[in-house]
Amino acid sequence: MTSIGFSFIITKFMHQFFIPLMDIVSKLTIRPVIKLFRLTYILMIFDFFISFYRMYKNRRLNERWKKQLIKSKIIPKPENG
């Protein structure tokens, strides 16, 4: 179910925002593009280390978002949980 949810979100995002974002980015010079790249790169690495730290500390997968999706009934509750 996770793969279906992620693919839906990615498809929806790409359908709505990709072309307008590419229009904006294509008008930028190289310096703002590099700054944008560096910012997103740092944010992704920061997110990776925080997630990894939480999983290491708890000795299990970080399933916080899954619980929120089940609680809001976006995805069904698993049979064994």
Side-chain angles (χ1 to χ4, degrees):
M1 194 56 126
T2 301
S3 297
I4 294 170
F6 278 128
S7 62
F8 174 75
I9 291 168
I10 291 168
T11 302
K12 188 72 174 165
F13 174 82
M14 295 298 275
H15 181 72
Q16 295 290 324
F17 298 108
F18 183 74
I19 299 219
L21 282 173
M22 285 308 295
D23 288 341
I24 293 169
V25 171
S26 66
K27 294 175 186 173
L28 295 174
T29 59
I30 192 68
R31 287 191 177 210
V33 172
I34 290 172
K35 287 180 181 180
L36 183 63
F37 166 77
R38 287 180 179 161
L39 175 67
T40 55
Y41 185 76
I42 289 168
L43 289 174
M44 285 191 307
I45 291 192
F46 185 70
D47 178 62
F48 169 78
F49 280 114
I50 286 176
S51 296
F52 186 78
Y53 172 75
R54 285 181 181 163
M55 288 186 288
Y56 181 77
K57 182 180 168 187
N58 296 329
R59 301 280 191 228
R60 59 190 173 118
L61 291 175
N62 187 8
E63 295 183 338
R64 182 176 182 187
W65 61 270
K66 183 176 178 182
K67 292 175 187 174
Q68 292 170 348
L69 292 175
I70 290 171
K71 192 174 185 179
S72 62
K73 298 183 181 179
I74 293 174
I75 61 173
K77 187 173 183 176
E79 298 280 331
N80 60 355

